[in-house]
């Protein structure tokens, strides 16, 4: 099943995509949030949709898609989880997963604009596979980690490299700016992906291919990441773990290449759809 949310920012309604057609599920009365996932909502809603497909209302064509999940309690990201990406940024291979956080206010829809932050000159792109947690997870055993996965989603881990790497402290200040976490177009349940450890992910800027990788090259695989992160914090239903990016980020070029207003970033992962964002300059509201 593919779960979507649509409508104006802050007013999103829920839906599902079946055979490429988007249907409304707001009648179900539950947003795709922590309570929904904790109550095994995806399975229950999928069963209802299957039994009542003929009654579903098609979402108006051209409707804006929001993030396929409501704002989670946290967005946890894994850094340097592809060897080729670590090499291009002159970073050593990590002996354990590198963890950083993105602010939940960075979450936007898959086709929303990315706002280049005030005073930014080094805004960068990162295509990533993200995992959505399906139930409360604390000290999870790696062998049991698959039971905690609600689904997978496409994520652009937008990054401001000066804020991240040159302003002292942790990476978080370059990762959590507003609009820096486009998610979607949809959340895909695990049963729809034959082998999540062997899917292609790619990204273009203004039509030029920048990233072209595969999850087969993840240093730390998804079950290990869920287990590892859960040793340090409780993961709640609806939380996001973004698993890292392959080579081809702007920071890795010589000289580096960064995004500017008017640029268009398009990205995709096999089975998880594609997204597209245009870069715009910061303007004070």
């Amino acid at each position: 099943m593919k779960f979507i949310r649509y409508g104006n920012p802050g007013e999103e309604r829920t839906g599902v995509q079946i055979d490429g057609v988007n249907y409304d599920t707001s009648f179900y009365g539950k947003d795709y949030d922590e309570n929904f996932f904790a109550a095994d909502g995806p399975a229950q809603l999928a069963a209802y949709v299957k039994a009542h497909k003929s009654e579903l209302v098609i979402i108006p064509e051209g409707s804006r898609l929001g993030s396929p999940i409501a704002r989670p309690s946290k967005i946890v990201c894994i850094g340097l989880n592809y060897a080729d990406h670590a090499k291009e940024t002159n970073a050593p291979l990590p002996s354990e997963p590198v963890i950083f956080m993105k602010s939940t206010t960075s979450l936007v829809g898959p086709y929303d604009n990315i706002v280049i932050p005030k005073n930014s000159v080094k805004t960068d792109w990162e295509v990533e596979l993200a995992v959505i947690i399906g139930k409360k997870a604390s000290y999870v055993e790696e062998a049991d980690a698959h039971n905690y996965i609600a689904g997978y989603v496409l994520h652009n881990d937008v990054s401001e490299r000066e804020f991240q790497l040159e302003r002292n402290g942790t990476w978080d200040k370059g990762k959590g700016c507003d609009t820096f976490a486009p998610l979607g177009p949809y959340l895909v349940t695990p049963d729809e992906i034959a082998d999540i450890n062997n899917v292609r992910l790619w990204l273009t800027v203004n039509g030029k291919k920048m990233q072209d990788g595969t999850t087969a090259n993840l240093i730390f695989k998804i079950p290990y990441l869920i287990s590892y992160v859960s040793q340090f914090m409780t993961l709640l239903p609806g939380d996001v773990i973004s698993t890292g990016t392959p080579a081809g980020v702007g920071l890795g070029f010589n000289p580096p290449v960064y995004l500017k207003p008017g640029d268009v970033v398009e990205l995709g992962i096999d089975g998880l759809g594609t997204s597209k964002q245009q870069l715009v300059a910061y303007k004070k509201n």
Side-chain angles (χ1 to χ4, degrees):
M1 183 67 71
K2 294 181 175 70
F3 296 87
I4 64 170
R5 294 169 72 249
Y6 74 98
N8 294 328
E11 301 175 353
E12 289 90 352
R13 299 161 66 94
T14 61
V16 294
Q17 185 178 108
I18 304 172
D19 298 328
V21 179
N22 294 334
Y23 297 92
D24 178 80
T25 61
S26 59
F27 60 83
Y28 194 65
K30 296 180 180 179
D31 201 357
Y32 300 156
D33 57 12
E34 180 180 339
N35 290 332
F36 174 78
F37 291 107
D40 199 24
Q44 293 186 27
L45 181 54
Y48 183 92
V49 166
K50 184 177 180 180
H52 298 84
K53 182 182 176 182
S54 62
E55 303 170 21
L56 299 180
V57 175
I58 295 176
I59 294 169
E61 191 171 345
S63 296
R64 169 190 173 268
L65 290 183
S67 162
I69 62 169
R71 185 186 294 183
S73 82
K74 48 190 167 293
I75 302 172
V76 184
C77 298
I78 308 300
L80 305 174
N81 201 24
Y82 288 77
D84 54 0
H85 175 55
K87 181 179 179 181
E88 72 173 348
T89 58
N90 297 313
L93 290 181
S95 58
E96 296 186 40
V98 175
I99 295 176
F100 62 90
M101 310 286 278
K102 293 180 83 82
S103 65
T104 60
T105 51
S106 66
L107 190 67
V108 291
Y111 306 107
D112 290 342
N113 290 336
I114 295 171
V115 178
I116 296 175
K118 183 179 180 180
N119 301 319
S120 166
V121 294
K122 296 183 179 180
T123 294
D124 203 349
W125 59 84
E126 293 189 6
V127 59
E128 302 200 4
L129 167 70
V131 180
I132 307 301
I133 298 299
K135 60 182 181 180
K136 186 176 180 180
S138 179
Y139 298 107
V140 173
E141 296 294 333
E142 183 177 354
D144 194 37
H146 64 281
N147 291 317
Y148 292 81
I149 298 174
Y152 305 105
V153 67
L154 173 65
H155 175 219
N156 187 358
D157 175 20
V158 187
S159 310
E160 211 299 339
R161 301 304 187 186
E162 182 183 5
F163 299 176
Q164 176 191 356
L165 302 172
E166 302 173 34
R167 298 287 296 274
N168 296 323
T170 65
W171 289 5
D172 301 54
K173 67 182 73 172
K175 294 287 191 171
C177 303
D178 291 352
T179 74
F180 268 27
L183 212 64
Y186 33 68
L187 179 150
V188 180
T189 50
D191 58 289
E192 293 211 6
I193 307 296
D195 183 4
I196 199 63
N197 292 312
N198 189 26
V199 295
R200 176 174 172 255
L201 60 171
W202 56 268
L203 181 145
T204 66
V205 178
N206 300 326
K208 181 179 179 181
K209 184 66 65 66
M210 297 297 192
Q211 294 184 274
D212 194 353
T214 170
T215 56
N217 293 331
L218 282 168
I219 297 172
F220 303 107
K221 303 297 185 182
I222 291 169
Y224 182 83
L225 292 176
I226 294 172
S227 174
Y228 184 87
V229 174
S230 76
Q231 308 304 306
F232 303 100
M233 65 191 79
T234 295
L235 296 165
L236 298 177
D239 279 356
V240 179
I241 299 180
S242 198
T243 60
T245 197
V249 301
L251 175 65
F253 286 85
N254 187 17
V257 178
Y258 295 116
L259 296 166
K260 59 186 184 301
D263 285 347
V264 175
V265 178
E266 189 167 7
L267 56 152
I269 299 179
D270 290 349
L272 301 186
T274 64
S275 68
K276 179 188 289 186
Q277 300 96 41
Q278 182 169 347
L279 278 290
V280 297
Y282 168 82
K283 290 184 179 179
K284 185 176 181 180
N285 293 331

